[in-house]
């Protein structure tokens, strides 16, 4: 991968106690799209529920619009860098949540959030853009 492509990648913080490797990252296209969505909608969050159809796609919501609970696991926080706010830069942190049940199945995987053409059928913020978020997974440690 070129240095230019790597520059757009964002790797999440480690949020699960006892873990040494991050579980989630953004592909460059996802980073760019999230920055645009943040400019339009303000703070954001992801939730990956599992299940069929679009339940297997990560859903992007305005922060706090999807209520999380003990039935969800915070897999990481994605730092989009400071906003280009004329009143001063502000942090842009996007938490990535997954249902605990789905995490039980995917606990050995590393997730890369990417963007592909096409519309999913859901309430995710990228739908009007004519694209959808997609998870690319690999086993942890690969």
């Amino acid at each position: 991968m070129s240095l230019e492509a790597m520059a757009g990648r964002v790797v999440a913080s480690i949020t699960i106690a006892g873990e040494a490797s991050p579980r989630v990252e953004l592909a460059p296209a996802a980073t760019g799209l999230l920055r645009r969505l943040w400019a339009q909608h303000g703070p954001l969050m992801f939730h990956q529920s599992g299940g069929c159809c679009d339940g297997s796609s990560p859903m992007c919501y305005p922060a706090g619009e999807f209520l999380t609970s003990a039935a969800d696991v915070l897999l990481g926080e994605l730092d989009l860098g400071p906003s280009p706010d004329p009143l001063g830069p502000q942090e842009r942190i996007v938490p990535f949540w997954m249902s605990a049940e789905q995490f039980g199945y995917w606990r050995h995987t590393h997730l890369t959030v990417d963007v592909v053409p096409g519309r999913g059928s859901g309430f995710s913020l990228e739908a009007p853009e004519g694209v959808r978020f997609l998870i690319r997974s690999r086993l942890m440690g690969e």
Side-chain angles (χ1 to χ4, degrees):
M1 176 177 298
S2 71
L3 288 177
E4 185 176 297
M6 288 174 51
R9 289 182 111 53
V10 171
V11 178
S13 61
I14 298 170
T15 55
I16 298 176
E19 294 203 345
S21 298
R23 292 187 160 275
V24 182
E25 70 180 81
L26 300 174
T31 301
L33 178 57
L34 280 174
R35 287 178 176 151
R36 288 193 311 275
L37 291 173
W38 189 290
Q40 293 172 3
H41 302 281
L44 305 170
M45 66 179 289
F46 272 113
H47 189 270
Q48 175 84 41
S49 66
C52 73
C53 308
D54 277 350
S56 57
S57 296
M59 303 296 274
C60 181
Y61 301 104
E65 186 172 295
F66 186 95
L67 298 179
T68 58
S69 69
D72 299 293
V73 177
L74 179 61
L75 296 188
E77 294 180 322
L78 299 150
D79 187 346
L80 300 178
S83 68
D85 190 324
L87 300 177
Q90 297 178 2
E91 282 190 332
R92 294 183 292 178
I93 306 295
V94 180
F96 191 103
W97 293 87
M98 180 179 279
S99 74
E101 182 179 3
Q102 184 72 8
F103 181 68
Y105 297 117
W106 286 18
R107 74 175 147 260
H108 301 295
T109 59
H110 176 275
L111 309 176
T112 299
V113 181
D114 205 349
V115 176
V116 294
R119 272 188 77 171
S121 60
F123 300 104
S124 194
L125 291 175
E126 81 282 4
E129 305 285 324
V131 295
R132 63 186 179 92
F133 287 111
L134 172 83
I135 291 292
R136 299 186 192 283
S137 63
R138 63 178 167 78
L139 290 176
M140 294 285 286
E142 285 188 355

